[in-house]
Amino acid sequence: MKTTKLLLRLVVLSIIFIFSSCSNDGILMDDLSSNLSEKGGKKTVPETTVGNNLSFPVIWSDGISKELRGTPETITELEGSWWGVWGEDPIDPQAILYSCGPYIGEASPCAEAIYRAYIQKDAKNTWQASNWVPDSPIDVDLIDWGDNLESIDWSINSQVRTEVVLYKDLETAVTEYAMRHCNSWGIDEVHGLQTDMDKNPVTGLEGQGMRATVYTPNARLTIQKLHVENLSQIEGKLNWLPRIGWTEQGGVSEDLVNDKPLFNMVINDAGDGPGFYNAEVNVKGKVIYGYTWNVRKDNEDSGYYRITFSFDNETNLNTFFVDGITDILLPIEEPEEIIALSEEDGETSKGGFAIIDYDNNLTYMDILIIGKTTGNGGGNGGGSGSGGGTGHGNR
């Protein structure tokens, strides 16, 4: 088995698919029933259940697409609520929020504001980035794991947010809309499409429109308990069985992994285990895969667990194949080993390391669930989810 550590990139919790960020069901809800100022007055906007707009391009692989708001590559309407913003876009909960609002209509914002940010989940704010069904197989160039999985150890009382984002680098730029963090963090997080004061979208950002996420209904998430005290005990001793999970290699007498996964589900099937696996547009306007694992309710005691993201090859869908492999591929070239940033700096890292298994066309992470919360474990899996740990093949 050829494997390599993925490059850790410390990006804020930003990771799965009811198109969302980090709440129990994968959806971030904005409170649109608050009072909004308009020319010095107050206006109450009724609560709405409209979804997020697509801001980041996406490739619909395997011939299946999601229903989206608006028209591709078009800003249909910007008549809803917005925030005034300036300065740097905040990337983590410790960052300063350079924003004021919310406002509606042509209200005059605070003096510092130089941009508008039209918020998600407002029926009067509608836009849609580029998205398309490919006519040839797609290789995934980069895999982003949720940063929270790599930064801390979780407790048996936690809700663990698992997020994965697949990216394809593009040769020609497509339409992407710049987003801006407006207010709050976690389940109350507010993001909006960034424009100038004349409602023209901000363009010219570095790399804008040169990368797309990739969606396939054949993505599978598997969670299994490992029966080891140290991860070195399983090195080279496990085999992957597609659609089933990890099992001991022939000749290995040790009981190293639970044969029945705690969770084993593909996007387009009911699967096994609690909850469901899905992919939707998050509050930043990006298609991500996600699942919130309620460890307190569903666990097999403390210890190490392996979380595996893989692809099913057997499908009734119109799937493209390359030598018998589905068109959604992890990088097929063997890259040079990439050392985690935390190791280069001589720091002790908590959380798991993301691994790409090229032979089995999957990526996995082994994480530690501790017996009780000691300050290192996470609480509710909050955040807005764009992924953190990054893996890619050198091409």
Side-chain angles (χ1 to χ4, degrees):
M1 178 187 302
K2 293 178 282 185
T3 61
T4 183
K5 291 182 179 179
L6 305 182
L7 174 63
L8 293 178
R9 183 175 61 196
L10 297 181
V11 179
V12 72
L13 300 180
S14 33
I15 190 223
I16 286 167
F17 270 134
I18 276 204
F19 278 50
S20 78
S21 283
C22 304
S23 62
N24 291 352
D25 61 358
I27 300 178
L28 279 180
M29 299 300 294
D30 298 326
D31 183 6
L32 297 182
S33 61
S34 60
N35 289 332
L36 304 179
S37 32
E38 183 178 30
K39 296 183 179 179
K42 298 287 185 178
K43 180 175 181 179
T44 299
V45 177
E47 185 175 351
T48 179
T49 57
V50 298
N52 290 316
N53 297 291
L54 181 72
S55 303
F56 197 92
V58 61
I59 301 172
W60 305 113
S61 182
D62 294 335
I64 299 296
S65 62
K66 291 282 186 178
E67 183 177 352
L68 299 173
R69 298 183 60 201
T71 303
E73 304 180 0
T74 303
I75 298 177
T76 305
E77 183 180 20
L78 294 179
E79 299 299 331
S81 58
W82 56 278
W83 287 69
V85 295
W86 66 95
E88 292 188 31
D89 192 16
I91 61 172
D92 61 56
Q94 287 71 47
I96 298 175
L97 291 170
Y98 298 103
S99 63
C100 58
Y103 305 94
I104 196 167
E106 297 304 315
S108 297
C110 60
E112 296 87 351
I114 59 175
Y115 299 107
R116 299 187 188 205
Y118 286 88
I119 69 171
Q120 294 275 31
K121 291 187 170 70
D122 187 313
K124 293 186 176 182
N125 293 336
T126 307
W127 62 87
Q128 187 182 131
S130 294
N131 58 99
W132 65 97
V133 176
D135 55 8
S136 61
I138 298 295
D139 290 347
V140 170
D141 293 309
L142 187 146
I143 306 101
D144 234 359
W145 279 83
D147 191 65
N148 57 332
L149 289 174
E150 295 185 307
S151 59
I152 58 178
D153 292 334
W154 296 84
S155 84
I156 206 164
N157 294 321
S158 299
Q159 294 192 59
V160 178
R161 183 67 178 175
T162 67
E163 296 185 346
V164 175
V165 187
L166 308 176
Y167 292 100
K168 172 68 177 176
D169 291 330
L170 306 176
E171 296 181 359
T172 304
V174 296
T175 300
E176 173 187 343
Y177 294 113
M179 295 293 289
R180 178 61 186 248
H181 191 139
C182 301
N183 189 51
S184 191
W185 295 95
I187 61 173
D188 297 321
E189 200 162 313
V190 179
H191 289 252
L193 183 150
Q194 186 171 349
T195 75
D196 61 23
M197 285 299 176
D198 294 323
K199 299 186 181 181
N200 299 308
V202 174
T203 59
L205 302 181
E206 183 179 358
Q208 188 172 354
M210 296 303 299
R211 177 174 286 170
T213 61
V214 181
Y215 170 79
T216 172
N218 298 321
R220 178 178 292 272
L221 185 73
T222 306
I223 302 177
Q224 291 174 272
K225 176 68 183 302
L226 301 175
H227 301 154
V228 295
E229 296 293 329
N230 190 296
L231 292 176
S232 62
Q233 296 174 247
I234 58 174
E235 188 172 346
K237 295 181 180 179
L238 298 182
N239 278 336
W240 172 255
L241 300 179
R243 305 174 70 92
I244 296 175
W246 295 95
T247 187
E248 294 84 6
Q249 289 186 356
V252 175
S253 59
E254 305 163 89
D255 182 16
L256 300 177
V257 60
N258 271 8
D259 293 333
K260 180 175 175 55
L262 184 69
F263 183 93
N264 189 22
M265 188 171 295
V266 69
I267 291 287
N268 59 359
D269 183 59
D272 297 320
F276 60 92
Y277 197 42
N278 205 352
E280 299 291 345
V281 179
N282 71 358
V283 73
K284 291 186 176 182
K286 182 178 294 185
V287 173
I288 64 171
Y289 295 92
Y291 173 70
T292 300
W293 172 21
N294 188 340
V295 183
R296 179 191 299 232
K297 180 180 178 182
D298 302 299
N299 71 80
E300 294 166 353
D301 210 346
S302 59
Y304 285 102
Y305 287 78
R306 176 164 291 187
I307 302 174
T308 305
F309 181 91
S310 62
F311 303 103
D312 284 3
N313 292 340
E314 298 177 11
T315 176
N316 294 322
L317 301 175
N318 183 22
T319 307
F320 299 102
F321 288 87
V322 178
D323 295 331
I325 301 176
T326 185
D327 63 330
I328 298 297
L329 305 176
L330 301 181
I332 56 176
E333 289 90 351
E334 181 73 13
E336 299 176 2
E337 184 172 5
I338 302 174
I339 305 300
L341 293 179
S342 57
E343 291 181 356
E344 288 180 336
D345 295 337
E347 298 177 359
T348 301
S349 175
K350 292 184 178 294
F353 289 106
I355 303 294
I356 298 177
D357 182 340
Y358 296 91
D359 287 343
N360 290 309
N361 192 32
L362 57 81
T363 178
Y364 67 86
M365 184 181 295
D366 297 332
I367 68 168
L368 178 64
I369 300 295
I370 60 179
K372 60 181 180 179
T373 302
T374 61
N376 294 330
N380 61 7
S384 68
S386 67
T390 305
H392 60 86
N394 294 340
R395 296 189 180 269

